[in-house]
Amino acid sequence: MTDETPQIYLVTPPQFEADTFPDTLARLLDAHAVACLRLELATRDEDALIRAADALRAVTEPRDVALVIADHWKLAERAGLDGVHLSDGARRVKAARADLGADAIVGVFCGTSRHAGMTAGEMGADYVAFGPAGGPDLGEELAGDELFAWWSEVVEVPVVAEGGLDKDRVERLWPIADFLSFGDEIWSAADPVERLSILMRAPGLASSEV
């Protein structure tokens, strides 16, 4: 079980306005200590991804926030990013690591599979993400408390909880997760900075507001 407060891991909206989103992001990073931002756009257009990466890097780099891209690791080095987040389990970890090198971040989303998480860790993943950790019952399996509790007790690879995190899930996960990942939970709010502040005021979880 982790003895420290989980770090904040952010995921971009699937699309955003390049003229306004970086300003919102900057306000949020100035208000909270964020460890990592994941660029996760719906598009596969290379130019659009690189432009978005450039806009985000101008915000994250001066604030010492790691910036990774979802899946498209071939763009990570060219765009000056810190690494990649693989959304389809452990099968591409070795290939991504070989291309990006030992210093790059290679993270892996493993759904609710302990086996996939263990495999990713054995292949050299820097973190493993499980989810969805909460949200409405849509018939899909959720990553429950017991999965994160088991992982934090047995495995040294850092674990990320993502998907459907409300105040209740934040409170329950903070002792057993290394990172809490927020995406639509905050960007859908009228004021994402305030929304994250509310989530981070959950009992037992200290806010990093400046």
Side-chain angles (χ1 to χ4, degrees), residues 91-163:
R91 66 186 182 89
R92 298 190 295 165
V93 173
K94 288 185 177 180
R97 178 66 70 196
D99 281 348
L100 295 176
D103 294 335
I105 297 170
V106 177
V108 183
F109 179 74
C110 294
T112 61
S113 173
R114 295 186 185 189
H115 176 72
M118 293 287 286
T119 300
E122 291 168 358
M123 288 183 173
D126 293 295
Y127 68 79
V128 167
F130 292 117
D137 183 1
L138 301 177
E140 60 186 329
E141 183 179 2
L142 298 180
D145 295 352
E146 67 284 350
L147 173 59
F148 293 98
W150 171 82
W151 185 274
S152 64
E153 290 285 352
V154 174
V155 186
E156 293 185 0
V157 177
V159 64
V160 180
E162 70 173 68

Side-chain angles (χ1 to χ4, degrees), residues 38-128:
R38 182 164 89 226
L39 173 59
E40 188 164 323
L41 298 185
T43 183
R44 291 175 55 85
D45 181 85
E46 183 174 329
D47 290 339
L49 288 166
I50 290 178
R51 287 196 302 271
D54 288 343
L56 298 182
R57 194 178 65 251
V59 177
T60 59
E61 202 168 70
R63 293 167 174 83
D64 197 27
V65 175
L67 177 58
V68 301
I69 190 169
D71 296 320
H72 309 298
W73 80 78
K74 296 286 186 180
L75 291 180
E77 185 172 9
R78 289 163 49 198
L81 307 185
D82 297 293
V84 67
H85 172 91
L86 303 173
S87 62
D88 56 355
R91 66 186 182 89
R92 298 190 295 165
V93 173
K94 288 185 177 180
R97 178 66 70 196
D99 281 348
L100 295 176
D103 294 335
I105 297 170
V106 177
V108 183
F109 179 74
C110 294
T112 61
S113 173
R114 295 186 185 189
H115 176 72
M118 293 287 286
T119 300
E122 291 168 358
M123 288 183 173
D126 293 295
Y127 68 79
V128 167

